[in-house]
Amino acid sequence: MLQTQAPPQAQAQAQAPAQPPQHPAPPHPQQAFAGAAGGYVSPIPVRPTHLGHALASEWTKIRSVRSTIWTLGVMLLLILGIGLLASLAAGSERELDPLLGVGFVGVLLGSLCVITLGVLSISSEYGTGMIRTTLTASPGRVRMLTAKAIVFFALALALTTVATTLVALLDSALLNGPAPTADQWLRATLGAGLYVALLGLLALSVGTLLRHSAGAISTMMGVVLLPMLLALFLQGESLKDIQRALIEYSVPSALATLYDIPFLSTGPTGWTPLWILAGVTAVVLGGAYAAVMQRDV
């Protein structure tokens, strides 16, 4: 009886030892970011972003553009230069009270530079289309705006406070008058720095809402200068209350109040102008957050 010989491949398979069952390889840790399982996985390490990354990005952007150097450089020149010139012009022969009040004009003019930078720090990205790249790298819009606000506010506060402190030291050394109290020192240095930084943050919020550099800067200049200009033309007796309110709550009068030289004696005193501006800035910044979340780029 003939026996059928098995093919060689079948004999090899019969003699080969049984292979243990193979478990599927664990998924690559970056597949969660790469998409569906088994898709392309980048060899570059990927990690979730957070606010620290956004802060580093905004700090790199704000310190690497020429507009920051020019605007803040002019601000420092105005605050220090006008403060020094005012101290030299007043001289040590004439007694001044308050002693630190001569620094007011330089801070008022320097605040216009901070306002301009506040607008440009956000509106320039909309104008050039760079905002698309920013939101691609940092899709969290709240995080993006928060990082911009923190970096800008910290930079403006630090530089303005340093400048006002130097001017206050020059005034104390060059002028003659009653020694400032601790509260007067704080309001003329840290208080003025906070006020100017809040003005810049308000400008950043307006720039976020309008998304247009010229329009936002014009709006902020109107907020700063228009109330005082309107008050000059409201001379009728029936308009006296409106005229007084425009002067009392204007930005120049608020800054002058921090230096103890208010335009009118009936307006806010002490630190009150700073709290008023902080409340207004918080409201407008909240509107900027709402606009960023709902609008398209």
Side-chain angles (χ1 to χ4, degrees), residues 12 15 42 48 57 64 76 81 91-92 94 106 118 123 138 154 156 165 174 188 202 236 239 286:
Q15 295 176 0
S42 172
S57 173
S64 60
L76 292 174
S92 58
R94 187 175 58 179
S123 63
S138 179
T165 301
L174 299 177
L202 178 62
L239 301 175

Side-chain angles (χ1 to χ4, degrees), residues 168-287:
L169 292 173
L170 287 173
D171 293 343
S172 299
L174 299 177
L175 301 178
N176 182 29
T181 63
D183 185 63
Q184 287 176 323
W185 267 102
L186 279 176
R187 282 189 279 115
T189 55
L190 180 60
L194 283 169
Y195 195 91
V196 172
L198 282 172
L199 271 179
L201 187 58
L202 178 62
L204 187 148
S205 305
V206 173
T208 305
L209 290 170
L210 300 183
R211 301 192 293 182
H212 191 274
S213 299
I217 292 173
S218 300
T219 300
M220 286 303 303
M221 293 303 170
V223 169
V224 174
L225 303 175
L226 191 58
M228 290 295 301
L229 294 176
L230 287 176
L232 294 177
F233 296 97
L234 299 179
Q235 299 296 334
E237 189 64 31
S238 60
L239 301 175
K240 286 296 181 182
D241 292 339
I242 299 177
Q243 182 189 47
R244 185 183 301 107
L246 288 173
I247 296 175
E248 289 174 350
Y249 293 96
S250 65
V251 170
S253 181
L255 264 176
T257 300
L258 293 174
Y259 284 90
D260 280 335
I261 49 173
F263 293 172
L264 296 176
S265 58
T266 56
T269 58
W271 294 86
T272 305
L274 183 63
W275 311 138
I276 294 174
L277 179 61
V280 173
T281 303
V283 172
V284 180
L285 184 59

Side-chain angles (χ1 to χ4, degrees), residues 1-296:
M1 183 176 182
L2 296 177
Q3 294 182 355
T4 306
Q5 186 176 2
Q9 292 181 354
Q11 292 179 357
Q13 291 179 358
Q15 295 176 0
Q19 296 291 335
Q22 296 184 355
H23 299 284
H28 194 280
Q30 293 179 187
Q31 284 182 347
F33 304 101
Y40 170 74
V41 177
S42 172
I44 303 174
V46 178
R47 54 183 176 177
T49 57
H50 50 73
L51 181 61
H53 297 124
L55 290 173
S57 173
E58 295 302 329
W59 170 243
T60 301
K61 284 191 285 187
I62 200 170
R63 68 182 173 85
S64 60
V65 295
R66 284 179 291 180
S67 59
T68 302
I69 299 173
W70 279 105
T71 53
L72 294 182
V74 172
M75 180 206 71
L76 292 174
L77 182 62
L78 288 172
I79 295 178
L80 295 174
I82 294 178
L84 177 60
L85 291 176
S87 300
L88 294 175
S92 58
E93 295 80 9
R94 187 175 58 179
E95 183 172 325
L96 296 178
D97 186 20
L99 189 66
L100 306 180
V102 294
F104 156 71
V105 177
V107 174
L108 177 61
L109 295 177
S111 66
L112 302 180
C113 300
V114 178
I115 287 172
T116 302
L117 180 60
V119 170
L120 292 178
S121 62
I122 181 68
S123 63
S124 61
E125 292 197 33
Y126 281 104
T128 60
M130 185 66 183
I131 191 66
R132 296 184 179 90
T133 304
T134 298
L135 293 178
T136 300
S138 179
R141 300 190 176 199
V142 171
R143 182 175 58 198
M144 179 272 296
L145 185 56
T146 301
K148 283 186 179 294
I150 291 175
V151 169
F152 172 79
F153 182 81
L155 180 62
L157 175 61
L159 291 181
T160 309
T161 303
V162 169
T164 53
T165 301
L166 291 175
V167 171
L169 292 173
L170 287 173
D171 293 343
S172 299
L174 299 177
L175 301 178
N176 182 29
T181 63
D183 185 63
Q184 287 176 323
W185 267 102
L186 279 176
R187 282 189 279 115
T189 55
L190 180 60
L194 283 169
Y195 195 91
V196 172
L198 282 172
L199 271 179
L201 187 58
L202 178 62
L204 187 148
S205 305
V206 173
T208 305
L209 290 170
L210 300 183
R211 301 192 293 182
H212 191 274
S213 299
I217 292 173
S218 300
T219 300
M220 286 303 303
M221 293 303 170
V223 169
V224 174
L225 303 175
L226 191 58
M228 290 295 301
L229 294 176
L230 287 176
L232 294 177
F233 296 97
L234 299 179
Q235 299 296 334
E237 189 64 31
S238 60
L239 301 175
K240 286 296 181 182
D241 292 339
I242 299 177
Q243 182 189 47
R244 185 183 301 107
L246 288 173
I247 296 175
E248 289 174 350
Y249 293 96
S250 65
V251 170
S253 181
L255 264 176
T257 300
L258 293 174
Y259 284 90
D260 280 335
I261 49 173
F263 293 172
L264 296 176
S265 58
T266 56
T269 58
W271 294 86
T272 305
L274 183 63
W275 311 138
I276 294 174
L277 179 61
V280 173
T281 303
V283 172
V284 180
L285 184 59
Y289 274 110
V292 164
M293 291 298 296
Q294 295 183 4
R295 286 176 177 171
D296 196 1

